[in-house]
Every structure is written in C-alpha cells, then in structure tokens.
Amino acid sequence: MSRSDVRLSPAMPRYPHLWLPMLRRYLLFVSGGNLVWEMLHLPLYTLWQHGTAGELIFAAAHCTGGDILIALSSLVLALVLIGGGAWPEQRYKAVAALTILFGFGYTVFSEWLNTAVRASWAYSELMPVIPVVDLGLSPLAQWVVIPLAGFWWARPSAPGRRPSVAAPLPPTPDRRENHV
C-alpha cells in the first residue's frame, strides 16, 4: 500500500513532527527569559543587600533551573490533560493558557510557602507587593510574561518562520483542493 492509498483523518496533523521543534524553541526561550528575569529582579530580594557575588550568581542560576522545571512540568501537564496528537497545530492556545495557569498557580504557592511559611527568602522594600496576599508582583508577572512571550515566539506561524519544519504529507484524493 502506498502513502497515497492511506486515507487521512481530518484530525491528522499536516506537520506530524512539529511538536518537537516547537517544544525546543519554547524551552530555549523560557530558559533565557527566566535567566534574564532572575538576574534583573535580584534587587527586589533582601539577598541583594547582603549576599556575596557568588551567592547572587548561585541564586540566579538555581532559580532559573527551577523555572525551567516549572515551565516544562506545566507544559507537559497541560499537554497530558488537553493536548492531542495534532499539537501544536490544534489546541495550541488552550495548551498555552493552561500551561501559564499551572506555572502561575505553582508560583503563587511557592512564593507564599517560601516567604510566609519557611522564610527561605524575603522581599526588599523595592519589591512591589500585591496587597491582601502579600506576594511579590515581579515573580507573578514573570509567570505570565515569559511563558506568554515564549509561546508567541515558538509558535509555528511566528513572523519569519515557515511552518515547514517537517515536510507536509503529499495530497491524497481526500485532501486535494477541487479545481474547477
């Protein structure tokens, strides 16, 4: 049986291997974005005032590693729950939204746990704090801005990027356009 004899389901993706390059681009973006964010918001924590250069570098690297794990875990959980074999061609926005929600939710929990319960870190007077919940605005914004920008940059139709990362399947009788 040749490839043209196979009937394609409407749910079959045009680019069946697009998910891996998309995943790589997303993780590359969130890795770099989180490293920059972590370095830039160090002055918003008390460590900035009393930490050594080595402690600051370690904190930025350590937190970036955690950010990468949060980003990857959030994306995988979203894909498991609502993704499909045709992702990222289908359900892209829903997976992105759920990924951001999971990352944001974890960050709310982690900030509360580490500032209010464990006192592992503390905000400096420079950190804008959200009233009532007493959580820093910068780490919460981080988990909206960076994943959102990462999904935008990594999407298959990003400006300057052709979706031909994987060659499309040749047309079959069911997929050919009707020309009159």
Side-chain angles (χ1 to χ4, degrees):
M1 180 186 311
S2 74
R3 217 169 132 166
S4 62
D5 294 335
V6 176
R7 300 194 80 193
L8 298 175
S9 136
M12 182 176 277
R14 286 183 60 203
Y15 305 99
H17 303 291
L18 194 56
W19 68 271
L20 185 56
M22 161 55 212
L23 179 65
R24 287 177 178 151
R25 285 191 302 268
Y26 176 73
L27 287 176
L28 179 65
F29 185 92
V30 298
S31 297
N34 279 303
L35 177 61
V36 169
W37 195 291
E38 291 295 345
M39 290 187 309
L40 291 177
H41 84 175
L42 275 172
L44 304 178
Y45 293 89
T46 57
L47 178 64
W48 179 258
Q49 297 161 350
H50 61 79
T52 65
E55 289 172 329
L56 295 173
I57 291 168
F58 176 80
H62 173 79
C63 292
T64 300
D67 295 336
I68 293 167
L69 291 175
I70 296 165
L72 182 58
S73 300
S74 297
L75 176 56
V76 168
L77 184 57
L79 285 169
V80 166
L81 292 177
I82 65 169
W87 185 85
E89 289 182 65
Q90 297 173 3
R91 304 191 56 83
Y92 184 78
K93 290 180 182 177
V95 168
L98 195 57
T99 300
I100 292 168
L101 182 66
F102 287 148
F104 185 85
Y106 177 81
T107 301
V108 167
F109 170 75
S110 178
E111 289 293 310
W112 167 78
L113 182 67
N114 287 293
T115 59
V117 177
R118 292 183 179 160
S120 303
W121 63 71
Y123 302 137
S124 76
E125 64 280 351
L126 299 174
M127 174 70 82
V129 176
I130 299 171
V132 180
V133 292
D134 289 330
L135 296 177
L137 180 61
S138 180
L140 298 182
Q142 177 180 3
W143 281 97
V144 174
V145 172
I146 292 175
L148 190 60
F151 276 109
W152 178 85
W153 183 76
R155 76 189 190 286
S157 61
R161 183 172 297 126
R162 293 179 6 199
S164 59
V165 174
L169 296 172
T172 64
D174 293 320
R175 292 181 64 168
R176 289 188 185 138
E177 294 179 6
N178 293 330
H179 295 287
V180 180

